[in-house]
Amino acid sequence: FLPHLVAAMEEVEETYIMVKPDGVQRGLVGEIISRFEKKGFLLKGLKLFQCPKELAEEHYKDLKGKPFFPKLIDYVTSGPVVCMAWEGVGVVASARKLIGATNPLQAEPGTIRGDLAVQMGRNVVHGSDSPENGKREIALWFKEGELCSWVPIQAPWLRE
Ligand code: GDP
Ligand code: MG
């Protein structure tokens, strides 16, 4: 009887989390990773990466046409980002809760944006908004071989 096999029968999701260039510049990488790690989600991929313009535009293609789109692309390509793939039951919605509202001034204290940011154009972190986008974004930002499937030793202490 292996808890991780039971978990596999539930709705295991993946989400793409990214520390944006302001989070990297401000030395918040460890703090941000730590929040997902402590929550108990499974880290499957992690890298520091300079995002090319084309990838940023593809990632944010749904926002093309918004007045802030050019600034958003400049922002996300302005320095290295930290790309992460996290797995877990309910990880997509839970990660969005941990991240907080898009506008950091409206984000609840205790959330990443609520605690660590003040402006929408400098909101330190990205998280996928649906399981479908989680898959799409992980495929976009990671190559095969950059992701690991593994069972952490704490698995039985996270799920009954
Ligand atoms: P998210 O899913 O909470 O990151 O928000 P969205 O998907 O709606 O937008 C993507 C990113 O675009 C946000 O995280 C912000 O960095 C940026 N953004 C969204 N709306 C605005 C806006 O009205 N002004 C500015 N400057 N940036 C915005
Ligand atoms: Mg979004």
Side-chain angles (χ1 to χ4, degrees):
F1 177 80
L2 294 167
H4 64 278
L5 292 180
V6 176
M9 289 188 282
E10 297 174 60
E11 294 281 297
V12 177
E13 301 169 353
E14 291 175 325
T15 192
Y16 176 65
I17 303 294
M18 175 169 73
V19 183
K20 294 176 176 180
D22 51 333
V24 176
Q25 292 288 352
R26 292 175 56 206
L28 299 174
V29 171
E31 162 92 33
I32 291 169
I33 293 176
S34 198
R35 299 207 178 194
F36 298 97
E37 210 176 24
K38 285 178 189 163
K39 174 75 174 170
F41 292 125
L42 179 70
L43 182 63
K44 297 194 76 183
L46 174 67
K47 66 180 176 185
L48 186 74
F49 181 66
Q50 174 61 56
C51 174
K53 196 165 183 240
E54 306 71 55
L55 178 57
E57 287 173 347
E58 178 62 23
H59 174 78
Y60 281 123
K61 67 178 179 193
D62 290 350
L63 298 172
K64 212 168 184 161
K66 298 271 185 197
F68 58 84
F69 187 77
K71 272 202 326 193
L72 174 60
I73 300 306
D74 285 350
Y75 165 41
V76 85
T77 58
S78 63
V81 294
V82 171
C83 311
M84 289 176 267
W86 289 90
E87 184 185 273
V89 175
V91 69
V92 174
S94 178
R96 295 276 291 184
K97 277 194 185 167
L98 292 173
I99 288 170
T102 305
N103 183 344
L105 293 183
Q106 262 126 52
E108 293 294 328
T111 64
I112 296 169
R113 287 168 175 167
D115 289 348
L116 305 174
V118 292
Q119 225 195 11
M120 203 125 67
R122 296 287 185 272
N123 61 2
V124 303
V125 64
H126 165 84
S128 308
D129 62 8
S130 67
E132 297 69 41
N133 275 334
K135 279 194 170 39
R136 176 183 84 88
E137 292 169 6
I138 288 169
L140 200 57
W141 289 84
F142 286 98
K143 294 181 201 134
E144 259 192 57
E146 288 182 331
L147 299 167
C148 296
S149 286
W150 59 292
V151 180
I153 197 148
Q154 56 172 318
W157 305 104
L158 283 164
R159 308 191 60 82
E160 60 178 8

